[in-house]
Amino acid sequence: GDVVATIPEASFPAWSPDGRRLAYLKRKDAGVLELVTSRPDGSDARTLLESDSVHPFLRNPAWSPDGRQIAFVKGSGGIAGEIWLVPALGGPARRAMEEPGSVSSDSPVFTADGRGIVHASNRGGATNIWFLSIAGGPAVRLTTGPGPDESPTVSTDGAVAFVNSRWRNTLEVHDLVAGTSRVLVTHSPYLWGPAVSPAGREIAFSRSEVDGSWHIWTVGADGGAARRLTSGDAGEVYPRYTRDGRTIL
């Protein structure tokens, strides 16, 4: 049959354990995101919280097995993410773990006994799968290696499945007249948001590192070694040159 949109402007749906309700993100006016639960047809909708100027992005809600809590991710932009918990019937949300801004966590899912949250995080350097106890205490690393290990799911008997991916990105310059392309930079995993300098001699771009951080790099339009410009804990993306070419925003 035809696909029907029962809840418009909604994303990241997650079924409650009893199958009677959905949790999802819904876009409100002025770009605000709401974490909402409702019946599957969209009725009896209850807004649990809204995004704000500090965390304008919300994603990946997941119910606890007893249906009392919902874990979700608050993001300030890019890959930045913090795992939070909120009562499914409403109430104050709390951060699952206090960590520095350089740590990014995502894709929370509860264990079958509800005692912990399995998730992806770069807190150990590379992006791997971790376990965080609801009762508190340090997170426990479940996988090792360069990663990225992402999108975990947990079976009823405690087995964890996740995605381990490998890819390479290239920064290329294409000559519209000749119809040819040249590779300037090759990197794994991400190259992002290139900008050409006003004189056309240099290209600035964002690059992600194995530890999940993002920094600004530049490379000559004719090639050569790339040069890193920034090193902030929170990460830097989307470089843009000023008109005189002397400054990058």
Side-chain angles (χ1 to χ4, degrees), residues 12-36:
F12 294 105
W15 285 103
S16 64
D18 61 10
R20 295 180 179 180
R21 297 187 70 82
L22 281 172
Y24 50 88
L25 280 306
K26 188 173 177 63
R27 189 164 296 280
K28 191 180 176 182
D29 294 339
V32 173
L33 285 171
E34 298 177 315
L35 175 57
V36 180

Side-chain angles (χ1 to χ4, degrees), residues 221-240:
D222 294 328
R227 181 170 64 103
R228 187 169 124 175
L229 297 185
T230 63
S231 58
D233 286 342
E236 304 84 30
V237 293
Y238 294 115
R240 293 295 181 263

